[in-house]
Amino acid sequence: MKATGIVVEYNPFHNGHKYHLQKTKELNPNNIIIAVMSGDFVQRGEPSIIDRWTKTKMALANGVDLVIELPVFYSSQSAEIFAKGAVGILEELKCESMVFGSESGKIDELKRISTLQESEEFKIKLKERLKSGDSYPTAHSSTMKEILGESELNSNDILGLEYIKAIRYWKSSIIPMTLKREKVGYHDTNIVGDFASATKIREHLKKNEEISSIVTQESFNTLKEYSNFTYMENFYPFIRYELIKNSNNLSDIQDMEIGFENRLLENAIKSINYDEFFKSISNRRYTTGRVQRVLTHTLLALTTNITEEVKKSIPYVRVLGFNSKGREYLSYLKKFDNSKIITSYKKMNENFSPEVCSLIEFNERSSQIYRLINNYNDYKSPIIFKEENNE
């Protein structure tokens, strides 16, 4: 059996995701489709608007065969670490290929740029710009223009580069493929036909506006019944508490730069309102995504030590759901050493080292924190999707 991987957040699942899934199947017609999916916290450092199990149901209903959780110590990180975690999990699952969206749609060009980016000259220039106060995207773009003569890259191209570099990092044989992102960009707030970005859809959901034309029917049926959409500002009282309570240990938090912890603490003490707090801590050096990641890492106590540990190897592979094809593929993987795959937490302490158990517990504790706001029904075993008819 062969499998193709996709890396997703489904926050929430929309028509663009359906297009990505359909094209992935066209490129790999006989392969099982495995989605490595962010759980309750996503790459921009925010809580997912809907919980991990609801997203799993949407993924399976829309045609994914096997859904795997990208643990929070990968999912809430920068593009580099996010990609390392996702690609590492696909490698553990013996994926033959992976398909991702990009603004350019040119895999050979992305491969070329990714190689050049790993040169010492590029790394030195990038560090110089970061030290001068530029945000990472600005520093990255400027270095691209100076060293490579390339124009500015957009978010999906940058993530695509990190996927390619992650394949090399893990010495994987996964074949990367890319699809040109159509009609709307990642952060676009306009609607083109029946396509809209997840950003735009989340805005509509927050305002209780109509979304039936810009999400799939399966997603719409789920979202119209969902009663607890979740946003960053909901967690501000907990973030504020953590900043004050753990003020002496904030320097240990992943992505926390020297001195920034003082800015956070000062404004947490005086800002009761989240929007006021966020405006007071933001500046040109810190993108919205990076500031949110620091806040989420503070909320969850995600430290640099944990991050360095999970960059060494993939600790475990947690199955969230599957259909009949996904079940068959999991059975196929039993031919290999698949001891990292989790379908149940029974006998966890017998099957995993104390270090891995600690990371599993960290991820589950993070979801418990999410459930302080969104108290969803937490499953202990994977969702099994039963198809009404075969495709």
Side-chain angles (χ1 to χ4, degrees):
M1 296 184 76
K2 295 181 179 179
T4 294
I6 55 177
V7 182
V8 301
E9 299 209 279
Y10 292 164
N11 189 32
F13 192 104
H14 55 68
N15 290 337
H17 296 134
K18 188 70 171 180
Y19 172 83
H20 175 217
L21 190 52
Q22 288 171 340
K23 290 296 181 182
T24 297
K25 290 183 177 184
E26 288 174 16
L27 288 169
N28 305 273
N30 300 313
N31 289 14
I32 298 295
I33 305 301
I34 300 175
V36 174
M37 184 186 75
S38 298
D40 289 331
F41 292 89
V42 298
Q43 201 264 327
R44 277 178 58 79
E46 298 175 298
S48 179
I49 193 171
I50 53 179
D51 67 87
R52 56 183 173 174
W53 296 108
T54 299
K55 293 195 293 185
T56 298
K57 292 174 184 176
M58 294 169 84
L60 294 170
N62 280 284
V64 173
D65 297 313
L66 177 59
V67 182
I68 306 295
E69 182 174 21
L70 184 62
V72 70
F73 42 77
Y74 295 125
S75 72
S76 67
Q77 300 266 17
S78 66
E80 175 197 353
I81 301 168
F82 178 93
K84 277 188 171 74
V87 171
I89 289 172
L90 294 178
E91 174 67 12
E92 293 286 347
L93 292 166
K94 311 292 183 187
C95 283
E96 173 190 62
S97 58
M98 70 176 296
V99 181
F100 56 85
S102 65
E103 285 81 8
S104 67
K106 299 175 181 177
I107 192 65
D108 289 338
E109 184 67 4
L110 291 174
K111 286 180 180 179
R112 183 184 72 84
I113 294 171
S114 72
T115 301
L116 292 171
Q117 281 186 346
E118 293 183 323
S119 69
E120 284 305 310
E121 184 184 12
F122 185 92
K123 292 176 182 176
I124 290 168
K125 289 289 185 183
L126 182 61
K127 284 182 180 178
E128 287 175 355
R129 286 192 163 84
L130 289 170
K131 285 182 180 178
S132 72
D134 286 347
S135 67
Y136 183 84
T138 300
H140 188 279
S141 176
S142 300
T143 308
M144 285 280 293
K145 289 176 183 177
E146 180 181 352
I147 304 299
L148 309 181
E150 301 289 343
S151 58
E152 183 177 351
L153 291 175
N154 291 307
S155 56
N156 287 106
D157 275 338
I158 292 171
L159 193 51
L161 291 172
E162 295 300 337
Y163 290 141
I164 294 167
K165 287 190 272 188
I167 289 172
R168 288 200 288 267
Y169 178 84
W170 294 116
K171 297 179 174 58
S172 170
S173 60
I174 291 174
I175 300 167
M177 305 176 181
T178 190
L179 300 170
K180 184 175 176 60
R181 191 176 178 111
E182 299 288 349
K183 298 188 180 181
V184 294
Y186 181 72
H187 298 299
D188 282 356
T189 55
N190 59 315
I191 297 174
V192 180
D194 57 356
F195 283 80
S197 69
T199 302
K200 184 63 175 177
I201 294 168
R202 289 193 295 273
E203 286 181 8
H204 275 245
L205 290 171
K206 196 169 191 177
K207 297 174 183 176
N208 199 29
E209 294 176 346
E210 179 59 43
I211 60 164
S212 60
S213 66
I214 51 178
V215 298
T216 67
Q217 186 61 52
E218 294 86 353
S219 296
F220 180 72
N221 290 342
T222 299
L223 293 170
K224 71 179 180 181
E225 299 298 329
Y226 203 80
S227 61
N228 201 2
F229 296 118
T230 308
Y231 302 96
M232 192 68 170
E233 57 262 33
N234 300 142
F235 291 90
Y236 180 54
F238 305 115
I239 294 170
R240 194 179 182 207
Y241 172 81
E242 289 296 329
L243 286 169
I244 295 170
K245 176 176 177 287
N246 297 314
S247 58
N248 292 330
N249 300 314
L250 293 178
S251 60
D252 297 332
I253 297 296
Q254 171 67 6
D255 288 328
M256 187 76 74
E257 285 199 8
I258 296 172
F260 192 54
E261 72 273 23
N262 298 324
R263 187 185 183 99
L264 291 176
L265 178 60
E266 176 187 345
N267 287 286
I269 292 170
K270 67 183 183 182
S271 300
I272 296 174
N273 176 274
Y274 176 73
D275 290 336
E276 174 191 331
F277 168 74
F278 197 83
K279 287 176 184 175
S280 66
I281 62 174
S282 302
N283 57 34
R284 76 180 186 93
R285 183 176 178 83
Y286 294 93
T287 62
T288 297
R290 187 169 185 187
V291 172
Q292 289 179 163
R293 280 192 289 273
V294 170
L295 296 178
T296 292
H297 296 163
T298 301
L299 172 69
L300 305 179
L302 177 49
T303 63
T304 54
N305 286 341
I306 293 173
T307 301
E308 290 306 310
E309 185 64 28
V310 299
K311 284 163 68 174
K312 295 175 186 176
S313 65
I314 301 300
Y316 66 92
V317 178
R318 203 271 174 96
V319 178
L320 293 181
F322 51 79
N323 61 17
S324 58
K325 292 179 183 177
R327 185 203 293 270
E328 186 180 358
Y329 190 74
L330 287 172
S331 296
Y332 163 76
L333 288 176
K334 291 179 181 178
K335 295 180 181 179
F336 308 95
D337 174 19
N338 66 340
S339 58
K340 290 186 179 182
I341 296 176
I342 298 175
T343 54
S344 170
Y345 284 137
K346 292 178 181 177
K347 299 183 179 179
M348 185 178 77
N349 292 327
E350 296 178 21
N351 296 329
F352 293 96
S353 69
E355 292 78 15
V356 171
C357 287
S358 177
L359 290 169
I360 294 169
E361 289 164 2
F362 180 89
N363 187 70
E364 293 311 296
R365 188 164 60 249
S366 297
S367 285
Q368 288 170 355
I369 291 171
Y370 180 91
R371 290 175 66 207
L372 292 173
I373 299 299
N374 183 337
N375 192 24
Y376 61 82
N377 181 30
D378 195 21
Y379 294 78
K380 300 304 178 185
S381 57
I383 292 170
I384 302 173
F385 181 77
K386 296 180 181 179
E387 302 93 331
E388 292 183 4
N389 51 59
N390 294 323
E391 292 184 337

